[in-house]
Amino acid sequence: MKEQLEKIKEEALKQIEASDALDRLNEIRVAYLGKKGELTNVLKSMKNVAPEDRPKVGQMVNEVREIIETRLEESKNSLAKKVREEQMKKEVIDVTLPAKKQNMGHSHPNTIALEEVERIFIGMGYEVVEGPEVEYDRYNFEKLNIPKGHPARDEQDTFYINENILLRSQTSPVQVRTMEKKKLPIRIIAPGRVFRSDEVDATHSPSFHQIEGLVIDKNITFSDLKGTLAEFAKELFGEDTKVKFRPHHFPFTEPSAEVDVSCFKCGGKGCRFCKGSGWIEILGCGMVHPHVLEMCNIDPEEYSGFAFGVGLERIALLKYEIDDMRLLYENDIRFLKQF
Ligand code: DAH
């Protein structure tokens, strides 16, 4: 019995010594110490051993088991260490190599211009709100004093989803949506995308952006409108910028005006940029029509207000002296990187 145990031990240790993988060590463990392993078999044959020798044989079996287990554990540890070391050698990181350059994105000129406009109006206490691009005819036209058949609809021919729903042709419907919420006073700007079935050229696109403005409170007058837009123009184009209000017509404002700013290129003397006139048109505006207030359930006897609408692309083109609107939509990185 003793010799048999000795042989098992020798054999096991020899195999452990020769093994070069963790899997192999596991196989050896099963073969010798497992339920059907060699040592277990010895224990099973104890019934053939004389009763007085059994404790001694039992002790010997345990000793052999312990030796094999210890050796297995040692081998396992040293193999694992070897594997780790090899892995470390393979995955050397050279910390002196220059880092890969991050390819950072870049703000679009439209975005830069919009953030600038938002900054100016937020500074004056305005809130930035948004409305849907798919809009009801009711909001885009009807409640802005542009009933069916009104010629102003032709100027803003747009894309209809059905008779009552369309892609908004202006951001002015956000005025109506805001007034209908009945939280007065109102001081908002509403930037967003608008749509018109226009042919693409240097100054037109079927989809572009506007920024709407609306102020409703008690005792708001045209001088508030003038002062606000004069300040806006100065902030946007420079301290020396002058504004000129030309009478105009919009169905939802009365009186209405178009606003020109003095040419920031020539200071008003007249140049190629302003086509010799010294002035550049930038927006439409006016006092909110009493009929529009009534349609939104605001009493025109108690409240008054002004509104304005700016073309975002127009601002970006002017500010960055870009002469073709199409450049803004081509997303040529060589162009965009300049701003
Ligand atoms: N919605 C007008 C347009 O697209 C621009 C406009 C003019 C907006 C006057 C206004 C305004 O709020 O008061 O042509």
Side-chain angles (χ1 to χ4, degrees):
M1 198 53 117
K2 194 174 170 202
E3 276 146 42
Q4 195 191 346
L5 277 170
E6 205 50 44
K7 231 178 91 193
I8 290 175
K9 187 179 89 182
E10 294 300 317
E11 190 56 32
L13 294 185
K14 218 162 81 192
Q15 288 191 16
I16 292 171
E17 192 73 35
S19 68
D20 56 358
L22 292 172
D23 283 355
R24 177 74 193 117
L25 286 177
N26 226 4
E27 280 167 27
I28 297 170
R29 179 188 297 280
V30 173
Y32 287 91
L33 311 178
K35 256 191 215 153
K36 291 176 184 160
E38 302 230 12
L39 266 189
T40 320
N41 283 343
V42 174
L43 282 177
K44 277 182 193 155
S45 61
M46 275 290 240
K47 54 183 179 301
N48 305 330
V49 176
E52 63 272 25
D53 292 337
R54 281 182 196 168
K56 205 147 176 256
V57 175
Q59 199 191 343
M60 272 159 49
V61 171
N62 279 340
E63 276 167 19
V64 172
R65 167 182 284 276
E66 232 165 80
I67 291 169
I68 295 176
E69 260 172 5
T70 311
R71 197 60 71 83
L72 273 172
E73 195 58 28
E74 282 168 7
S75 270
K76 194 176 117 193
N77 288 344
S78 83
L79 261 181
K81 197 170 154 214
K82 246 213 280 207
V83 169
R84 215 172 32 240
E85 273 167 5
E86 251 161 55
Q87 209 169 9
M88 301 265 265
K89 252 188 246 159
K90 261 194 281 176
E91 295 175 2
V92 187
I93 298 169
D94 183 351
V95 291
T96 64
L97 280 176
K100 271 195 198 138
K101 236 189 173 171
Q102 278 281 356
N103 215 347
M104 284 273 273
H106 194 280
S107 285
H108 191 278
N110 271 355
T111 309
I112 306 174
L114 174 59
E115 283 173 355
E116 177 70 2
V117 173
E118 286 182 347
R119 184 189 66 75
I120 295 168
F121 281 103
I122 288 170
M124 294 197 245
Y126 285 61
E127 194 185 334
V128 182
V129 304
E130 280 183 15
E133 289 171 4
V134 180
E135 185 56 284
Y136 291 109
D137 180 284
R138 197 166 78 246
Y139 286 135
N140 194 78
F141 291 130
E142 211 101 357
K143 289 199 156 205
L144 288 165
N145 237 359
I146 313 173
K148 293 224 156 64
H150 193 288
R153 287 194 181 222
D154 297 343
E155 285 164 27
Q156 296 191 9
D157 191 15
T158 192
F159 305 97
Y160 280 82
I161 310 288
N162 61 36
E163 215 185 315
N164 303 315
I165 298 174
L166 45 75
L167 299 187
R168 66 177 176 188
S169 61
Q170 46 186 351
T171 44
S172 304
V174 188
Q175 287 189 35
V176 179
R177 287 179 172 273
T178 309
M179 287 190 277
E180 278 190 352
K181 285 201 182 117
K182 294 204 184 89
K183 269 172 82 183
L184 297 163
I186 292 166
R187 210 184 284 132
I188 56 120
I189 56 167
R193 191 186 285 274
V194 301
F195 306 85
R196 292 185 194 178
S197 73
D198 284 343
E199 294 286 340
V200 175
D201 64 26
T203 53
H204 291 89
S205 161
S207 155
F208 58 103
H209 299 78
Q210 290 185 332
I211 305 163
E212 196 76 14
L214 176 70
V215 171
I216 306 279
D217 203 346
K218 289 175 180 163
N219 303 316
I220 297 289
T221 68
F222 202 96
S223 21
D224 295 309
L225 171 60
K226 256 187 105 173
T228 303
L229 294 181
E231 194 53 39
F232 166 62
K234 279 185 186 171
E235 285 263 351
L236 194 61
F237 295 114
E239 193 50 37
D240 297 329
T241 309
K242 293 188 205 50
V243 285
K244 179 166 80 176
F245 286 71
R246 275 183 293 103
H248 198 79
H249 172 261
F250 295 106
F252 41 91
T253 43
E254 180 59 35
S256 306
E258 274 187 337
V259 174
D260 299 344
V261 292
S262 55
C263 177
F264 47 85
K265 207 74 220 252
C266 63
K269 285 200 275 306
C271 67
R272 204 172 54 91
F273 206 68
C274 55
K275 297 194 186 86
S277 74
W279 296 95
I280 297 170
E281 181 200 322
I282 61 157
L283 58 81
C285 65
M287 300 305 290
V288 179
H289 199 297
H291 192 209
V292 172
L293 290 175
E294 271 167 0
M295 281 190 280
C296 297
N297 293 317
I298 294 174
D299 182 359
E301 297 296 329
E302 198 182 350
Y303 284 94
S304 57
F306 63 77
F308 54 88
V310 195
L312 176 62
E313 278 80 357
R314 191 158 171 72
I315 302 276
L317 296 183
L318 284 173
K319 234 178 131 54
Y320 299 111
E321 299 180 24
I322 303 165
D323 57 8
D324 192 326
M325 190 168 171
R326 285 168 287 200
L327 289 166
L328 292 178
Y329 302 120
E330 281 166 1
N331 285 335
D332 185 330
I333 203 86
R334 291 167 303 177
F335 168 76
L336 293 176
K337 270 210 298 223
Q338 299 173 61
F339 306 99

